């Protein structure tokens, strides 16, 4: 069997878990994902470590890799946590802990944030990925290689 190499389109089943075993994503029981080795998108998350792991695998091979937080969703950054007055948020926003929203800033940039705490007139917003600062494990099964 031929090993997967740069420029091949590979199709994989994968399961992404936190190091405590919590499943973040799994394609098992569903459709596998395809991506081009070398495009930097590995599973659609942009994990170069996944591309590195799949390179050299053969169809049917399985492996599990651990990706440290700095190569996965990045470190948790406290500067992405902000407290704002409720009155500054859109009137149609869902204001409850756990809700997500997009914020548009004066310079035209947009940030995805989650509400992590609230008081009577303040909301604490977190722009970090919920997975920031967490190491992850990715179980990979190479289903097919083309190209």
């Amino acid at each position: 069997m031929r090993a997967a190499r740069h420029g091949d389109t590979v199709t994989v089943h994968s399961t992404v878990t936190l190091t405590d075993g919590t499943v973040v994503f799994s394609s098992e029981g569903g459709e596998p994902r395809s991506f081009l080795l070398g495009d930097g998108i590995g599973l659609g998350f942009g994990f170069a470590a996944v591309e590195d792991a799949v390179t050299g695998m053969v169809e049917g091979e399985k492996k599990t890799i651990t990706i440290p937080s700095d190569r996965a969703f990045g470190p948790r950054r406290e500067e992405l946590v902000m407290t704002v007055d409720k009155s500054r948020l859109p009137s149609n926003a869902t204001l409850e802990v756990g809700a997500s929203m997009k914020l548009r800033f004066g310079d035209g940039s947009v940030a995805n944030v989650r509400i992590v705490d609230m008081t009577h007139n303040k909301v604490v917003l977190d722009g970090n990925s919920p997975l920031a600062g967490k190491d992850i494990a990715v179980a990979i099964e190479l289903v097919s290689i083309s190209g």
Side-chain angles (χ1 to χ4, degrees):
M1 290 188 132
R2 181 169 85 73
R5 60 180 182 254
H6 186 86
D8 285 337
T9 297
V10 293
T11 302
V12 300
H13 270 298
S14 61
T15 300
V16 178
T17 59
L18 300 179
T19 54
D20 68 2
T22 302
V23 176
V24 175
F25 165 84
S26 180
S27 67
E28 293 300 323
E31 291 296 314
R33 288 185 166 191
S34 296
F35 61 93
L36 178 67
L37 276 179
D39 71 358
I41 303 215
L43 292 180
F45 299 118
F47 297 146
V50 170
E51 289 197 13
D52 293 345
V54 173
T55 301
M57 290 178 68
V58 297
E59 290 180 1
E61 186 176 350
K62 297 178 182 183
K63 71 169 61 168
T64 300
I65 61 171
T66 299
I67 305 175
S69 64
D70 62 328
R71 292 190 68 203
F73 293 93
R76 180 164 174 73
R77 297 174 39 203
E78 288 308 314
E79 68 269 21
L80 297 179
V81 179
M82 62 196 101
T83 301
V84 298
D85 289 326
K86 284 182 180 179
S87 63
R88 295 191 62 206
L89 297 175
S91 60
N92 63 346
T94 300
L95 297 181
E96 60 187 41
V97 172
S100 296
M101 66 180 69
K102 290 183 187 280
L103 288 184
R104 186 170 311 276
F105 297 98
D107 65 0
S109 63
V110 177
N112 293 314
V113 297
R114 286 174 300 116
I115 298 175
V116 294
D117 197 12
M118 290 185 0
T119 64
H120 177 68
N121 58 355
K122 302 275 186 187
V123 177
V124 179
L125 302 173
D126 188 346
N128 287 288
S129 163
L131 300 175
K134 297 182 180 183
D135 297 340
I136 60 170
V138 183
I140 305 161
E141 177 185 2
L142 182 54
V143 176
S144 67
I145 305 168
S146 61

